[in-house]
Amino acid sequence: MYQNPKNKASFKLRKFISNIYRDSDIGYSILRPFYKIYELGLRITPDQFIIKRSFKKHMGYDLNLDNPRTLNEKINWLKLHNRKPIQTILADKYKVRDYVKNKVGDKYLIPLLFESKNEKDLTPDNLPEPNFIIKANHNSSGGLIVRDKNKVDWKKAQKRFKRLLNENHYYSTTEWQYKNIEPRIIAEQLLTYEDGSIPEDIKFHCFNGKVAFIMVDFDRFGELRTRNLYDSEWNLIPCNWGRPYGRDMEKPSNLDEMIAVAEKLAEDFAYVRVDLYLVKSQIFFGELTFYHASGFQAFYQKECDEKFGDMLDISALKK
C-alpha cells in the first residue's frame, strides 16, 4: 500500500528531539552518546541496505534498483550510482558560489557577509547590522535568522554551531556528496519583501538539463508549509509532493530568465533541483539539491511519482 505522507506526529517528534539535541546542554549530553553509537552503525552498514530500508519505511513499497520507474526510485538510484566529485563542491553552500559565478554570473548571488570555520568568531562585532541569516555550509539544518543582534544569545548560537560543525550530514541522509565537505559557518543577507516577510522558495526540478516542473513552497518557517507544483508555463500541476496545496501565486514576470538560469546550472546533471528566489524582480540563487528529500518523500498521488519518473531519463547512466 502506498504510504500517506501526512505523518505530522512523527515529524513533530523528530523535530522536537532534534531541537533538544542541538539547543539544550542537558539534551545534548544525554543524546550525544546514543547518536555516536547510531552513527557508528551507519558507518559500517552498506549504503544500499540503508537506502532500501529507509525507502520502504517512508514510501511504503520496495525500492527497485534494477529497474527504477518512479521519480523517487530514480533519485535513489542516482544516490548510489551517479556520484560525480563536483557534487561535493556544489552541495557546499560556500564553495558553490564560485560555480554559480562562473556559470551565470555573480549578480545572482546573495551577498555573503561572513564565513568562518571557528564558531568562536560568531560574535556581533564580526557581523553587520541585520537582517541576515547564519547557517552551516554542509547540511540542511536551516539557519538562524537575525533581525536584531541585541536579541541573540551569542553564546548559545556559538554552542549550536559548534555542534553543527561536528556533524556529518552524510550519515543521517546517506547522501554521499555531504561526506567530505569541510564544515564552516556562513552568514548571508536575509532576503525579504518590503513587509519583512521571507520570499517563497521557487525550486526548479531539472531533468537532463531541462526544467521538468517548478515547486513553490509557502510559509517555510510557519506551522503549516504548503506547496504547489507548476509546469514551465506556470500552469498548476494536480500533484502534491509531500505537502498540501498552497495559495495561488502569480506567474513571475521574469520566469523565462529564471528557467534559463536554472537550466544553465543544471546542464551537466541528470537530475538536480535549483532553488531560486525572486525579490523586487531580482533573481537570487539559493542552492543546488541533488536528491530532493533524499528520495523519500511520497506523492499524495502515486501516479504522479510514476509520471515524473517516466520523464527522467537515466538510461545513458546505466550503461
Side-chain angles (χ1 to χ4, degrees):
M1 183 172 176
Y2 202 67
Q3 187 182 30
N4 189 325
K6 301 178 182 178
N7 195 345
K8 296 180 182 178
S10 176
F11 172 80
K12 287 183 177 180
L13 178 61
R14 293 196 304 272
K15 188 72 174 175
F16 176 72
I17 294 174
S18 176
N19 289 340
I20 290 177
Y21 177 70
R22 287 179 173 156
D23 298 332
S24 164
D25 290 342
I26 296 176
Y28 186 82
S29 298
I30 294 173
L31 295 174
R32 184 64 176 172
F34 293 98
Y35 177 80
K36 295 304 290 185
I37 294 171
Y38 173 68
E39 184 180 285
L40 177 61
L42 295 177
R43 286 174 181 265
I44 63 177
T45 305
D47 284 358
Q48 182 167 311
F49 176 85
I50 295 172
I51 288 173
K52 281 190 169 183
R53 183 186 62 182
S54 296
F55 189 91
K56 181 64 179 288
K57 174 184 175 182
H58 288 91
M59 303 300 297
Y61 64 96
D62 291 324
L63 171 61
N64 185 343
L65 290 171
D66 295 325
N67 184 32
R69 290 192 59 249
T70 67
L71 177 55
N72 279 294
E73 282 184 316
K74 289 184 177 181
I75 288 174
N76 278 282
W77 187 94
L78 290 168
K79 280 166 65 176
L80 286 166
H81 300 295
N82 188 41
R83 300 181 169 186
K84 294 183 177 182
I86 193 175
Q87 290 176 227
T88 293
I89 296 173
L90 304 188
D92 183 328
K93 293 178 176 64
Y94 176 72
K95 291 186 176 179
V96 70
R97 296 175 63 88
D98 285 337
Y99 178 82
V100 174
K101 179 180 178 179
N102 292 332
K103 278 282 188 179
V104 296
D106 59 5
K107 69 177 182 177
Y108 297 107
L109 292 172
I110 299 172
L112 180 69
L113 307 175
F114 168 89
E115 67 89 10
S116 177
K117 299 174 188 175
N118 187 343
E119 76 284 350
K120 292 182 180 179
D121 292 335
L122 205 55
T123 66
D125 291 339
N126 289 333
L127 291 158
E129 291 303 315
N131 297 322
F132 56 87
I133 182 169
I134 308 169
K135 53 190 174 183
N137 69 317
H138 66 299
N139 61 22
S140 57
S141 61
L144 174 63
I145 293 176
V146 179
R147 297 181 187 267
D148 184 342
K149 290 195 292 186
N150 295 322
K151 294 183 178 180
V152 175
D153 184 335
W154 290 102
K155 287 187 177 180
K156 183 177 180 180
Q158 288 179 1
K159 195 172 295 184
R160 172 184 176 181
F161 280 92
K162 179 180 180 179
R163 293 167 182 173
L164 287 174
L165 291 175
N166 288 326
E167 291 182 11
N168 191 318
H169 198 50
Y170 161 70
Y171 294 111
S172 60
T173 64
T174 326
E175 295 186 30
W176 70 274
Q177 77 275 16
Y178 291 113
K179 188 175 184 179
N180 296 311
I181 295 177
E182 185 178 20
R184 73 178 73 215
I185 304 165
I186 62 174
E188 295 177 335
Q189 178 183 320
L190 181 67
L191 301 179
T192 63
Y193 293 134
E194 290 184 357
D195 64 359
S197 61
I198 305 297
E200 291 80 13
D201 250 332
I202 306 179
K203 306 170 186 286
F204 295 77
H205 290 256
C206 297
F207 296 178
N208 311 110
K210 298 295 181 182
V211 172
F213 62 93
I214 305 163
M215 170 186 290
V216 181
D217 278 9
F218 302 95
D219 302 317
R220 288 182 297 128
F221 300 99
E223 285 294 319
L224 178 61
R225 287 175 59 180
T226 56
R227 173 177 292 166
N228 290 347
L229 304 187
Y230 297 93
D231 64 20
S232 58
E233 299 297 323
W234 208 255
N235 299 304
L236 184 67
I237 300 173
C239 292
N240 301 91
W241 198 1
R243 301 189 185 280
Y245 289 125
R247 59 178 175 78
D248 187 33
M249 180 177 175
E250 185 178 345
K251 178 181 177 180
S253 59
N254 49 356
L255 179 62
D256 289 344
E257 182 184 358
M258 298 182 82
I259 289 174
V261 169
E263 292 184 346
K264 185 63 178 177
L265 295 173
E267 64 183 355
D268 298 321
F269 305 99
Y271 169 81
V272 66
R273 196 191 79 204
V274 182
D275 293 5
L276 302 176
Y277 301 99
L278 186 62
V279 181
K280 296 180 181 178
S281 299
Q282 172 64 45
I283 299 168
F284 291 98
F285 168 79
E287 64 179 82
L288 296 178
T289 298
F290 290 99
Y291 313 109
H292 173 77
S294 287
F296 299 144
Q297 190 167 71
F299 285 85
Y300 288 19
Q301 309 89 354
K302 185 177 180 180
E303 60 271 19
C304 292
D305 206 355
E306 296 170 346
K307 169 188 173 182
F308 291 128
D310 288 340
M311 293 169 61
L312 175 57
D313 183 6
I314 62 172
S315 60
L317 301 173
K318 295 176 70 175
K319 295 179 181 178

